[in-house]
Amino acid sequence: MRELMQLALDLFGDGAAAAPPPPAAPRGRKSPGPARPRTRQPGSFVPDALPFAVPPVVAVATPTVPLVDTLTPASFVHPQASRELMLGAARVAYEFKRGKRRTIGFVVGAEGLSVRAPRWVALRDVDAAVREKSDWILRKLAETQQRHARVEATRIDWKDGAGFPFLGEPVVVRLDPKHGFEGVGGALDAGDGTGPRLLRLAVAQNAEPAQIRDAAQAWLMRQARKLFIERLDHFAPLLGVRWAKLSLSNAATRWGSASADGSIRLNWRLIHFRLSVVDYVVAHELAHLRVMDHSHRFWETVESVVPDYDVLRQQLKDEAVPRWG
């Protein structure tokens, strides 16, 4: 019991116990005298003395995982790839062909990287050229992959309830076989502004996806022709030109074309975009009836009727068109 009481006094004593004597000053030196109280600087924090010993903090080493092991390397593989390289952390398998040319050429398309080289160039030089262009190649491959992902996300599942944009606004398909819609095969409800408008098609409820797609496409193409003629008639006088014939195209990569005889071709899928984007393409093709190239004078002609053509042109490139396949 006495030992426990002594331990308590040692730990929580009231200060009555005598402090140990200060060490003797070395010979030849003056005694430092009594210790002066520590002065607290304004704004500083000096913690009070703790009545117990604080154990030292021991750092625990955690295993580190290299960053490269936590990331999945990018992979770009052309379907007809015959050669493969690692460009940084990315695996690039590219299509390689030789031909009658003077330099090594690079093309990044929907399928991946294609490389063309003269017959006399060694393979090691081809690979060296690919590595030298690696920054450009990887950037273009990534952009193409992202664009493809956006397109896949817009793939239309052709059934009752399928959706797609019409002049920039969402439309939902409703199969309504009881009505003929005055021979046009479908009709777009006016809508109440609270949700997507309904495109009612005269198609059976058990119709195949291809039948539903064809009915929707036929309706959209009729709307596109009607709108395009209206916009051609609007912009032609403003540009001082006359158009003679309109054809609808189904091209995969081209939105329109113009011929010197006044013939205009416009992709019917433009009907998915906002009217301002449609107007840019219409004005672009009509401007070619005055300037048959893409010179500075041509773009000035387009700008005279569509001042923000550069913004609309970029939107046409950036926005994903619904995939109909």
Side-chain angles (χ1 to χ4, degrees):
M1 179 65 68
R2 180 173 296 178
E3 289 81 6
L4 290 175
M5 292 179 62
Q6 184 61 45
L7 177 60
L9 290 172
D10 292 341
L11 289 176
F12 305 105
D14 57 1
R27 183 173 297 179
R29 296 183 183 178
K30 293 183 179 181
S31 172
R36 297 181 179 180
R38 185 175 181 181
T39 304
R40 180 176 299 181
Q41 298 296 327
S44 65
F45 171 74
V46 180
D48 295 331
L50 298 177
F52 52 87
V54 180
V57 178
V58 180
V60 179
T62 57
T64 58
V65 179
L67 180 61
V68 67
D69 294 337
T70 66
L71 303 176
T72 303
S75 182
F76 305 98
V77 180
H78 194 287
Q80 283 78 48
S82 56
R83 296 191 64 75
E84 181 176 319
L85 286 175
M86 289 297 295
L87 301 181
R91 171 184 173 229
V92 178
Y94 63 90
E95 178 192 35
F96 175 67
K97 290 184 178 181
R98 294 188 182 275
K100 294 181 179 180
R101 52 180 303 128
R102 296 182 178 180
T103 59
I104 300 174
F106 307 89
V107 176
V108 176
E111 295 185 321
L113 173 64
S114 296
V115 180
R116 303 289 185 268
R119 301 184 186 281
W120 49 267
V121 175
L123 289 177
R124 64 176 179 273
D125 294 330
V126 173
D127 289 345
V130 172
R131 290 191 177 94
E132 185 178 352
K133 294 277 290 185
S134 61
D135 289 346
W136 178 86
I137 290 171
L138 291 176
R139 184 175 70 254
K140 290 299 182 181
L141 286 171
E143 290 173 357
T144 302
Q145 192 176 70
Q146 292 168 5
R147 189 179 304 112
H148 177 72
R150 290 198 303 269
V151 170
E152 286 299 315
T154 61
R155 183 188 291 274
I156 303 172
D157 185 12
W158 290 108
K159 60 182 181 181
D160 186 77
F164 51 79
F166 173 71
L167 290 176
E169 298 296 332
V171 167
V172 172
V173 171
R174 283 288 177 265
L175 304 185
D176 194 354
K178 296 180 181 180
H179 300 280
F181 300 107
E182 299 179 358
V184 297
L188 185 64
D189 289 354
D192 57 6
T194 61
R197 299 173 69 182
L198 298 181
L199 173 60
R200 300 186 182 276
L201 298 176
V203 179
Q205 292 288 342
N206 60 350
E208 294 292 328
Q211 292 177 279
I212 302 172
R213 179 199 62 205
D214 292 346
Q217 180 175 338
W219 184 86
L220 285 170
M221 291 181 73
R222 284 192 292 271
Q223 306 308 309
R225 176 176 289 278
K226 180 180 177 181
L227 178 67
F228 295 166
I229 291 174
E230 176 187 315
R231 305 318 290 166
L232 286 167
D233 287 342
H234 171 77
F235 283 106
L238 299 178
L239 291 167
V241 298
R242 295 182 63 182
W243 65 278
K245 177 184 177 183
L246 170 66
S247 300
L248 299 184
S249 80
N250 195 29
T253 59
R254 195 169 188 177
W255 291 115
S257 63
S259 301
D261 62 359
S263 297
I264 303 292
R265 290 178 62 86
L266 295 171
N267 195 315
W268 68 266
R269 297 174 193 265
L270 284 168
I271 200 68
H272 289 305
F273 292 91
R274 292 182 297 278
L275 180 60
S276 57
V277 176
V278 176
D279 281 349
Y280 157 67
V281 179
V282 169
H284 181 117
E285 301 310 329
L286 286 173
H288 276 309
L289 300 183
R290 288 180 54 180
V291 185
M292 294 300 291
D293 56 32
H294 288 102
S295 62
H296 183 68
R297 178 168 164 257
F298 167 79
W299 291 113
E300 285 183 337
T301 303
V302 175
E303 188 177 24
S304 68
V305 291
V306 184
D308 57 344
Y309 78 89
D310 52 341
V311 175
L312 299 171
R313 182 187 182 198
Q314 192 61 46
Q315 290 177 3
L316 189 64
K317 293 180 179 180
D318 293 342
E319 294 183 17
V321 183
R323 183 161 182 172
W324 281 63

